[in-house]
Amino acid sequence: MAWFKRRAERPRAPSIFERLERAGPEESAAPSPDDPSAHRWARGEGDVYLTFRVGATEPSAAAAGDLAFSELVGAMHDEVREPTGATRVALDIAIEAFEPATHMDRLVDAVVMGGGFEPLALYDLVRRLATEGTTPKQVQVGAALMGLFTDPDDDEILRVLARSPTYSVYAAVALTNRLGPFATLADRQRLWSELAQKSAGWARALLVERVCAEPVTEEPLRSWLLAEGWRSGPGTERAAAPVARAVRLLDLAREADLDHDRFVAACALLAAVGSAEGFAGAAEIREALLALSPRLARPEDAAQLEALRAQRSTG
């Protein structure tokens, strides 16, 4: 009997949220189970529930995704209506068959428009998935659906999840939804930039890309983007081009009174942009910055210039 008692008292493994909560931004930004470089934000400032797109789906995969979506909605109804051990197991199986990247928007719409969910029971379910989930899909579903509720005490849960590229998009959209219908573009950009500043790697790159999807008008935000925002390790190449557009790098390079620090930051950003596919104006910006090269005085600045020259010769 004592052996069984010791077995029963064995502590459970920490959830994904608990591990992220204990980790710093750099640790949280470790490579995710899926490929963050494939993530695509939905277009449009007015998108309320949309998260992102991964790309085209084969017809057979789409059909399988539709079936998994329907089964998940049914399993959620069963778990919310009358939870048992069997309904929880069925829900866990349905979540693992579900594809959040391509069907999350439909799931949110089904919960909002379809009805049939008792609000408090649904809240308990999605919060449990977000904080106690032990698989990425459980946490993704929980984080996305937490955006439908407004308890301010839950904001920190989503901020912790936003540190990881596996959950950053879902958490950011959920937090944005929680700002309410009267939030301005500046409010949303401020939120995304705060999340990005506490993230690293692909998580930062994805959040910075969302900041830059709309015009950036606040000068403090533009300054942070130029100096640091695009520096995101493996996600730097993804973030650099949107930041270059957002800070109007071409206009910046042509400023007659461009101070030294901003000039050096612009050189570094340009080197990161390189010949990024689809980035208009990279060649012109290189020419403008090279024309200002006599202003470089320190050895570390000269290294930036040499990087630009080498880039130009191979571009």
Side-chain angles (χ1 to χ4, degrees):
M1 183 63 68
W3 179 81
F4 286 104
K5 185 176 181 181
R6 286 196 299 272
R7 291 269 298 189
E9 293 175 349
R10 179 177 296 176
R12 65 174 177 82
S15 67
I16 289 174
F17 169 77
E18 290 168 335
R19 294 200 301 269
L20 290 173
E21 191 176 30
R22 289 198 294 264
E26 293 291 344
E27 297 171 273
S28 301
S32 58
D34 50 320
D35 179 9
S37 66
H39 293 179
R40 294 291 181 271
W41 286 96
R43 293 181 177 274
E45 174 187 334
D47 292 333
V48 179
Y49 299 116
L50 295 181
T51 52
F52 59 87
R53 297 290 182 266
V54 172
T57 304
E58 294 295 328
S60 58
D66 291 343
L67 177 61
F69 160 75
S70 299
E71 290 180 346
L72 176 56
V73 173
M76 287 180 60
H77 272 291
D78 293 341
E79 176 69 5
V80 168
R81 188 181 301 115
E82 190 174 348
T84 65
T87 60
R88 175 172 288 202
V89 170
L91 177 64
D92 289 344
I93 293 172
I95 288 176
E96 295 313 306
F98 176 68
E99 289 299 333
T102 53
H103 286 73
M104 184 64 80
D105 299 332
R106 291 183 61 194
L107 178 62
V108 175
D109 286 341
V111 171
V112 174
M113 307 300 292
F117 289 99
E118 198 283 314
L120 289 178
L122 178 63
Y123 169 74
D124 288 342
L125 170 61
V126 300
R127 194 179 191 279
R128 172 170 63 80
L129 290 172
T131 59
E132 299 179 20
T134 55
T135 71
K137 289 185 179 182
Q138 290 176 355
V139 178
Q140 288 169 342
V141 169
L145 293 178
M146 281 185 73
L148 303 179
F149 301 92
T150 57
D151 188 338
D153 292 340
D154 292 339
D155 282 0
E156 188 56 30
I157 294 172
L158 293 167
R159 290 178 181 275
V160 168
L161 294 176
R163 298 175 191 166
S164 166
T166 309
Y167 317 108
S168 58
V169 171
Y170 301 102
V173 171
L175 283 165
T176 304
N177 291 339
R178 291 160 69 92
L179 290 176
F182 300 108
T184 65
L185 172 59
D187 293 333
R188 294 193 291 271
Q189 287 181 320
R190 200 172 298 116
L191 168 64
W192 297 326
S193 64
E194 288 173 1
L195 296 175
Q197 289 177 47
K198 295 180 180 179
S199 304
W202 273 109
R204 171 177 284 196
L206 291 167
L207 291 164
V208 164
E209 185 178 45
R210 191 64 186 91
V211 171
C212 298
E214 315 293 345
V216 178
T217 58
E218 295 191 351
E219 189 55 38
L221 178 53
R222 291 179 60 191
S223 297
W224 176 77
L225 288 170
L226 174 64
E228 301 179 38
W230 55 273
R231 301 175 188 270
S232 55
T236 291
E237 184 176 348
R238 171 78 172 264
V243 169
R245 297 188 191 96
V247 302
R248 300 172 188 170
L249 193 53
L250 182 54
D251 294 338
L252 185 68
R254 290 172 175 165
E255 287 185 12
D257 59 345
L258 185 64
D259 63 71
H260 182 83
D261 288 343
R262 286 195 300 160
F263 178 77
V264 173
C267 284
L269 174 55
L270 177 62
V273 171
S275 56
E277 183 178 353
F279 178 65
E284 291 84 353
I285 292 173
R286 282 200 294 271
E287 293 296 334
L289 288 176
L290 288 169
L292 294 175
S293 60
R295 296 179 55 180
L296 291 168
R298 299 180 301 186
E300 57 267 32
D301 300 339
Q304 293 280 6
L305 179 60
E306 287 305 313
L308 292 176
R309 283 177 173 154
Q311 189 181 87
R312 184 189 180 198
S313 65
T314 58

